[in-house]
Amino acid sequence: MAEWNLWHGCNKLSAGCQNCYVYRMDSYYDRDSSQVRKTKNFDLPIRKDRHGNYKIKAGEVLYTCFTSDFFVEDADEWRKEAWDMIRERSDVFFFMITKRIDRFMDCIPEDWGEGYENVQICCTVENQDRADHRLPIYKKAPIRHKQIVCEPLLGKIDLSEYLDDSIELLLAGGESGTK
């Protein structure tokens, strides 16, 4: 298990972003979290050791873009290259969480089809309003591995109309930090 934060920073989108852990952590280092920037680890999945072997081993799970959102608008210029690395490393499983599922269809590669076998796209919802907005889009999206993440869970949510065999897992959690 490893993290691949290929870009860092995000723009707050909804109530679930109010106490964002990335903004909180960046404030300690006097960094502006609203500025999305490519990181030094951008090419992490395809880095090789001195023997020519990938440093990230086959079968590894890469938690992808946990200091941003893979589908954030500010990263559009880098996403094609990211998909190329994900395609090259079909032996690695990429785990992503997004609040921007409404951008998904505009951000996938031409050969996506019904989804890459090595990619799980999780849709996060924090309240009923965001569930009712995001989950109908998510349910229709061609994604092989789907998971709903209710974090930070800000109130009661009824997900019964969205749960079926296409959802592999449902997670729920609260806010982090002091707020």
Side-chain angles (χ1 to χ4, degrees):
M1 178 171 71
E3 282 190 21
W4 179 34
N5 291 310
L6 55 168
W7 44 80
H8 180 89
C10 199
N11 300 298
K12 292 185 177 188
L13 184 68
S14 63
C17 302
Q18 182 176 356
N19 298 310
C20 175
Y21 69 91
V22 173
Y23 274 71
R24 186 174 62 250
M25 297 309 295
D26 280 355
S27 71
Y28 292 131
Y29 301 102
D30 201 28
R31 288 189 289 219
D32 182 357
S33 298
S34 69
Q35 297 297 310
V36 178
R37 62 191 181 285
K38 206 175 188 181
T39 70
K40 64 181 179 181
N41 287 324
F42 182 80
D43 64 345
L44 180 68
I46 59 169
R47 288 183 185 164
K48 295 186 177 180
D49 63 22
R50 62 185 174 166
H51 302 292
N53 301 311
Y54 289 117
K55 290 183 175 184
I56 302 291
K57 303 294 182 213
E60 187 82 44
V61 175
L62 273 182
Y63 290 89
T64 304
C65 237
F66 273 45
T67 63
S68 185
D69 189 311
F70 191 80
F71 301 106
V72 69
E73 299 85 347
D74 302 279
D76 285 350
E77 66 184 287
W78 309 312
R79 197 169 298 99
K80 181 190 178 311
E81 191 176 352
W83 284 124
D84 290 344
M85 288 184 275
I86 290 169
R87 187 180 313 102
E88 179 178 336
R89 292 305 312 271
S90 62
D91 60 335
V92 171
F93 194 79
F94 295 86
F95 182 90
M96 303 175 191
I97 299 175
T98 186
K99 283 183 174 61
R100 290 171 170 79
I101 199 64
D102 57 322
R103 299 197 75 238
F104 176 76
M105 292 303 294
D106 294 329
C107 296
I108 55 175
E110 290 181 16
D111 67 344
W112 180 259
E114 292 302 308
Y116 294 166
E117 185 60 43
N118 66 323
V119 176
Q120 179 157 19
I121 307 286
C122 306
C123 183
T124 183
V125 297
E126 61 270 22
N127 56 32
Q128 192 67 51
D129 176 70
R130 292 299 80 199
D132 292 340
H133 172 74
R134 293 180 189 139
L135 294 181
I137 298 166
Y138 186 58
K139 293 292 293 179
K140 293 177 188 173
I143 301 169
R144 288 186 191 267
H145 301 288
K146 293 181 178 179
Q147 179 175 316
I148 298 173
V149 178
C150 302
E151 287 183 343
L153 185 57
L154 301 179
K156 182 180 175 185
I157 302 179
D158 179 359
L159 299 175
S160 56
E161 70 180 278
Y162 307 114
L163 300 178
D164 60 25
D165 290 343
S166 70
I167 304 300
E168 296 175 358
L169 190 63
L170 172 65
L171 289 176
E175 284 275 17
S176 62
T178 59
K179 297 182 182 179

